[in-house]
Amino acid sequence: LIEALVSSLPLLLDILVILGFYFLILAIAGLQLWHGILKTRCFNPNSGIVTDSRCCGSYTCGASDCVTFISNPNYGATNFDDVFAGLLTVFQCVTLESWSNVEQNISDAFGPAATVYFTLHTLIGAFFLMNFMLAVIKSRVSRTYEESRKLKKGKIT
């Protein structure tokens, strides 16, 4: 198994470069589209409290005002305010770890067009590229297993 993983490293490096470019492109696209958009909340100026924790913009606040605050959702970790935070958010979505919350927040703030971004992001990133990486590892493990089986067969006869 270790031999198979070591022999698959050159192919895995190629796939990691592709994943890196994919992450960077989506992080820059998110930065251009949604810089600072997740900081908006519904705020009632008369009472001085946040009336709804959802991001506003496309989502209407009713009697409250849509105000920009300092913090982003998920304790400030989920945002597209800079490239590094965007890379982290893209990684979170590719691993399918609470990606629907990110999509819902951005849809509330930006509109339903954000669903297209996240649908393509999930289909290409999570289902295609990540499985492509697993396929490379599996092919190398299968090849190493076949080689070891042929070697054992040669020793027996």
Side-chain angles (χ1 to χ4, degrees):
L1 181 64
I2 301 297
E3 182 182 331
L5 288 175
V6 170
S7 68
S8 68
L9 282 179
L11 291 174
L12 285 176
L13 288 176
D14 294 340
I15 293 171
L16 287 176
V17 168
I18 293 170
L19 273 174
F21 280 127
Y22 177 77
F23 284 9
L24 188 63
I25 287 169
L26 288 178
I28 291 172
L31 178 71
Q32 292 297 314
L33 291 171
W34 304 308
H35 175 74
I37 201 168
L38 293 176
K39 293 181 180 182
T40 57
R41 302 283 185 281
C42 296
F43 179 75
N44 188 340
N46 297 330
S47 65
I49 61 170
V50 175
T51 58
D52 196 348
S53 63
R54 292 172 63 180
C55 298
C56 57
S58 172
Y59 169 74
T60 56
C61 295
S64 301
D65 294 335
C66 186
V67 178
T68 301
F69 283 88
I70 295 173
S71 65
N72 283 302
N74 199 15
Y75 301 103
T78 303
N79 64 70
F80 286 100
D81 293 346
D82 58 62
V83 174
F84 297 113
L87 286 170
L88 181 64
T89 304
V90 168
F91 179 76
Q92 175 184 354
C93 293
V94 164
T95 58
L96 300 178
E97 186 63 37
S98 189
W99 73 274
S100 59
N101 294 339
V102 177
E103 190 269 335
Q104 184 64 45
N105 284 333
I106 290 186
S107 290
D108 286 345
F110 185 73
T115 305
V116 174
Y117 173 89
F118 284 97
T119 302
L120 290 174
H121 182 18
T122 302
L123 290 175
I124 295 170
F127 297 145
F128 179 70
L129 290 176
M130 296 301 279
N131 285 326
F132 189 53
M133 197 161 77
L134 293 174
V136 166
I137 294 172
K138 185 200 176 297
S139 70
R140 289 298 180 162
V141 167
S142 297
R143 183 183 293 171
T144 304
Y145 174 73
E146 287 298 321
E147 289 173 359
S148 69
R149 200 173 84 185
K150 287 178 183 176
L151 216 93
K152 285 181 184 179
K153 202 178 233 186
K155 285 183 180 179
I156 293 173
T157 57

